[in-house]
Amino acid sequence: QVQLVESGGGLVQPGGSRRLSCAFSGFTFTYYTIGWFRQAPGKEREGVSWMLSSDGITHFANSVKGRFTSSRDNAKNTIYLRLNNLKAEDTGIYYCAVAPYGSSRPFSPREYDFWGQGTQVTVSS
């Protein structure tokens, strides 16, 4: 049973930073795409970043490029998303998700089969 658990959200002031974690387990597939998404109130879920298991290279949406970074700890089956220089528009629920293949549209939520419960990030002074 695939499980994804996000953590690390909270209230952050504009310009601040936060590190989100996504711990995953129960994978039986060795090739997959893992992505981060966010959803603001009243808006559609949007892709923030994605990574292929084969190369570990993270690709970022233009809206967060240069501000967000990603890393992974294979021993802990955990990926991290570091949110830097946060803005009010970064507010939302952040989700990690997995597609059990190499997605051709990795920023599309529809490509992903497994989702975590999400963690809320609120950027406000």
Side-chain angles (χ1 to χ4, degrees), residues 29-45:
F29 33 87
T30 57
Y31 185 58
Y32 54 88
T33 307
I34 190 162
W36 282 99
F37 293 80
R38 67 185 181 187
Q39 188 164 20
K43 294 189 176 181
E44 293 186 351
R45 194 168 296 187

Side-chain angles (χ1 to χ4, degrees), residues 19-22 24 27 30-34 36 50-58 69-82:
R19 190 181 78 162
L20 307 182
S21 301
C22 172
F24 53 92
F27 283 19
T30 57
Y31 185 58
Y32 54 88
T33 307
I34 190 162
W36 282 99
W50 61 272
M51 178 185 70
L52 283 176
S53 59
S54 55
D55 60 20
I57 298 173
T58 304
T69 62
S70 179
S71 60
R72 67 178 178 178
D73 186 330
N74 291 331
K76 294 183 178 180
N77 284 341
T78 300
I79 63 167
Y80 303 97
L81 185 68
R82 178 78 178 181

Side-chain angles (χ1 to χ4, degrees), residues 1-3 24-32 77 98 100-101 114:
Q1 181 177 348
V2 176
Q3 286 191 320
F24 53 92
S25 61
F27 283 19
T28 58
F29 33 87
T30 57
Y31 185 58
Y32 54 88
N77 284 341
V98 169
Y101 49 83
F114 305 100

Side-chain angles (χ1 to χ4, degrees), residues 99-120:
Y101 49 83
S103 173
S104 60
R105 296 182 299 165
F107 280 127
S108 171
R110 296 181 180 181
E111 293 284 294
Y112 294 79
D113 296 327
F114 305 100
W115 293 83
Q117 83 289 348
T119 186
Q120 175 73 46

